[in-house]
Amino acid sequence: MPKHETPMVDQLESGPWPSFVSEIKRQSEARHQKAKEMEEAGKPYQIPVDVCDDLLGVLEMSFKDGTTHWKHGGIVGVFGYGGGVIGRYCDQPEMFPGVAHFHTMRVNQPAGKYYTTEYLRQICDLWDFRGSGLTNMHGSTGDIVLLGTRTEQLEEIFGTLTHEMDQDLGGSGSNLRTPACCLGESRCEFACYDTQELCYQLTMEYQDELHRPAFPYKFKFKFDGCPNGCVASIARSDMSFIGTWRDEIRIDQEAVAAYIGGELKPNAGAHASRDWGPFDIQKEVIDLCPSQCMRLEDGKLIIDNKECVRCMHCINTMPRALRIGNDRGLSILVGAKAPILDGAQMGSLLVPFIKAEPPYDEIKEIIENIWDWWMEEGKNRERLGELIKRQGFQKLLEVTGIKPVPQHVQEPRHNPYIFWKEEEVPGGWQRDIKEFRKLHQR
Ligand code: SF4
Ligand code: SF4
């Protein structure tokens, strides 16, 4: 018998899709069933047994009232850390005591999100015991998200995580958020650099920035091993690291012929469930190349590599015939963000190509130059992308010491005016017009 009537919330169980409401109900049932067992084992639940029932109850009330019943109740956290815990209190604690406190803890996921089953059992046991048992694997930042606990449990949980599980919290608030990467070289032939290593090394290097909020606002790093962008870094991180190559796509002409002849299935057979008819290389690959830099000549595939924009389409379609180049590294893009203050923005290219090799000093230098500028000039709650819009991409180039290159230009300029800086014009703006003209004719 449910503790609260929740007719509106229950509608979210209809339809063919997985439903978080069904999952919360399952967890509620499991929790009630296991309560006695936990008590007998001397480990009674540390937060109310009906936390999940009250969670659904408060959600129903929010739907009825058309407003949230969660409130911020000041800062909660663990000693020495400024982030990693997101405080939530319910404004109806008498009616829903199980969720009077319902804090979230962010746990730093391992690079590539690899776990042992033993680790997963440990974290679930901990969360059943000291939390609601509800988790989100994974939050959009990448962390393991542990949903719902009480303030007095926070230090206990943190102690178990750090001392028994060798596990750190992630970032929250105005700090470096937990860096996230794709599984990269560990499983993927398209990886142009070791995403997991770079993610790990930067996480270790910037522990202070991760745990002690000192930034104007949040800052995210994400690492994609190639332009397929499995962690969508170009749209979801202030600084996005995308693997690329600067030599040529490697072509195996025999394999190209095998695709054309039908011996090899395109897209590695990923669409085998449907018959798409015979593979047509012209229609499915060459015509879809965004820079139109491919052609067939006497049955051989030719690529004009200097025009290739590394979109990955041809490589994804014919992975046995086409491979990423050998001279690999990454591109750095900056300024992507979701539409919180200003509109949503994708990252802009800052570094077209850089080698990604330990100890990554060049990459760290770029990061720190950007941070110095943003911490000095950024307004409260201004993301890097907004600062770039406000002060200009040129300013970003100056502070990072990166020389302008054609790849920085989105489109040819619309007007003929050229802005000269005073120091670039000997004698300043008041100078003789003749000299000024001479300068333009150089
Ligand atoms: Fe592989 Fe590229 Fe996806 Fe990383 S982003 S997992 S390298 S396809
Ligand atoms: Fe064309 Fe994209 Fe292939 Fe480059 S990677 S050759 S742009 S389809």
Side-chain angles (χ1 to χ4, degrees):
M1 180 69 185
K3 184 175 170 192
H4 305 284
E5 290 296 318
T6 55
M8 292 168 91
V9 167
D10 293 347
Q11 286 181 26
L12 297 176
E13 291 186 280
S14 58
W17 308 281
S19 162
F20 73 93
V21 175
S22 307
E23 293 307 313
I24 296 175
K25 286 182 179 171
R26 277 177 59 188
Q27 171 61 9
S28 166
E29 215 179 298
R31 207 169 159 80
H32 283 288
Q33 275 172 12
K34 222 175 137 193
K36 207 154 165 255
E37 197 186 301
M38 295 286 281
E39 245 169 68
E40 282 167 6
K43 284 191 93 179
Y45 289 134
Q46 298 297 295
I47 73 165
V49 66
D50 49 6
V51 52
C52 299
D53 311 78
D54 281 353
L55 182 61
L56 292 174
V58 79
L59 185 58
E60 179 76 18
M61 184 183 243
S62 302
F63 284 179
K64 269 196 206 126
D65 297 349
T67 183
T68 181
H69 285 288
W70 298 116
K71 57 174 188 167
H72 270 288
I75 301 287
V76 284
V78 295
F79 189 67
Y81 277 33
V85 181
I86 297 123
R88 281 285 178 283
Y89 293 95
C90 178
D91 67 5
Q92 303 293 320
E94 289 81 24
M95 207 177 302
F96 305 107
V99 291
H101 302 192
F102 198 75
H103 309 318
T104 292
M105 293 188 88
R106 289 199 180 143
V107 179
N108 193 333
Q109 82 286 2
K113 303 193 179 94
Y114 287 98
Y115 302 102
T116 61
T117 48
E118 190 197 345
Y119 173 90
L120 290 175
R121 276 192 206 99
Q122 253 179 313
I123 201 134
C124 289
D125 286 349
L126 170 66
W127 204 240
D128 271 338
F129 177 45
R130 296 198 180 276
S132 70
L134 295 169
T135 64
N136 174 359
M137 303 284 273
H138 297 80
S140 58
T141 305
D143 312 81
I144 302 171
V145 177
L146 302 178
L147 291 159
T149 193
R150 294 184 59 84
T151 307
E152 62 275 14
Q153 294 301 316
L154 295 173
E155 288 294 348
E156 303 286 346
I157 296 163
F158 184 58
T160 307
L161 286 172
T162 50
H163 294 124
E164 292 174 28
M165 298 176 68
D166 202 15
Q167 172 67 68
D168 203 357
L169 290 186
S172 68
S174 293
N175 64 8
L176 174 65
R177 298 301 181 82
T178 318
C181 63
C182 75
L183 45 75
E185 286 179 351
S186 68
R187 288 192 66 203
C188 185
E189 75 214 56
F190 299 151
C192 298
Y193 70 99
D194 190 344
T195 51
Q196 291 175 276
E197 181 64 14
L198 181 56
C199 182
Y200 176 76
Q201 292 301 339
L202 294 188
T203 304
M204 298 309 277
E205 177 84 18
Y206 298 121
Q207 281 290 297
D208 213 26
E209 286 73 9
L210 222 161
H211 297 308
R212 288 163 199 98
F215 286 159
Y217 201 16
K218 61 179 101 165
F219 195 95
K220 299 181 184 180
F221 289 147
K222 291 195 194 297
F223 308 89
D224 278 312
C226 80
N228 277 334
C230 292
V231 287
S233 66
I234 192 170
R236 299 173 58 225
S237 54
D238 300 84
M239 228 171 149
S240 148
F241 300 83
I242 304 178
T244 190
W245 62 94
R246 60 181 165 185
D247 56 348
E248 311 199 325
I249 293 178
R250 287 172 291 157
I251 307 178
D252 175 345
Q253 296 292 357
E254 273 179 32
V256 172
Y259 278 108
I260 296 172
E263 293 107 68
L264 289 173
K265 294 266 165 269
N267 297 300
H271 303 305
S273 56
R274 197 168 148 189
D275 182 10
W276 294 87
F279 176 61
D280 181 343
I281 191 170
Q282 186 67 39
K283 201 165 120 216
E284 293 176 47
V285 179
I286 297 175
D287 291 351
L288 296 181
C289 169
S291 56
Q292 294 290 295
C293 66
M294 313 179 88
R295 64 182 193 281
L296 265 188
E297 256 179 44
D298 303 328
K300 296 229 175 316
L301 186 67
I302 315 281
I303 299 177
D304 183 0
N305 278 278
K306 67 179 186 318
E307 297 299 329
C308 165
V309 292
R310 278 58 171 168
C311 79
M312 296 294 291
H313 173 68
C314 60
I315 301 177
N316 291 336
T317 312
M318 305 194 299
R320 299 273 291 275
L322 301 176
R323 292 183 188 190
I324 57 170
N326 280 325
D327 187 7
R328 300 171 201 156
L330 56 83
S331 301
I332 302 178
L333 290 89
V334 288
K337 57 178 273 300
I340 295 184
L341 288 192
D342 214 342
Q345 233 166 265
M346 300 285 265
S348 302
L349 183 69
L350 177 64
V351 180
F353 186 89
I354 190 168
K355 283 283 191 188
E357 283 156 4
Y360 308 110
D361 286 340
E362 267 188 286
I363 292 177
K364 288 177 193 164
E365 197 186 326
I366 296 169
I367 293 170
E368 287 161 26
N369 283 336
I370 289 178
W371 281 350
D372 284 348
W373 174 54
W374 181 50
M375 286 171 79
E376 188 66 32
E377 299 285 335
K379 295 183 193 167
N380 188 30
R381 285 168 68 82
E382 184 173 51
R383 293 284 287 271
L384 175 64
E386 287 152 351
L387 176 63
I388 295 171
K389 261 171 91 177
R390 184 161 64 82
Q391 294 203 349
F393 197 82
Q394 191 183 351
K395 184 78 191 165
L396 175 72
L397 292 177
E398 277 168 37
V399 299
T400 49
I402 294 172
K403 288 218 156 47
V405 290
Q407 288 98 325
H408 291 140
V409 180
Q410 190 176 16
E411 55 187 295
R413 58 188 304 137
H414 297 287
N415 65 56
Y417 297 106
I418 294 165
F419 292 97
W420 293 94
K421 283 198 181 151
E422 200 143 347
E423 62 270 21
E424 289 169 343
V425 184
W429 291 112
Q430 309 304 326
R431 65 204 307 280
D432 186 342
I433 190 74
K434 277 189 197 153
E435 259 186 72
F436 192 71
R437 282 198 180 126
K438 252 194 272 165
L439 195 81
H440 275 281
Q441 283 159 6
R442 266 198 311 195

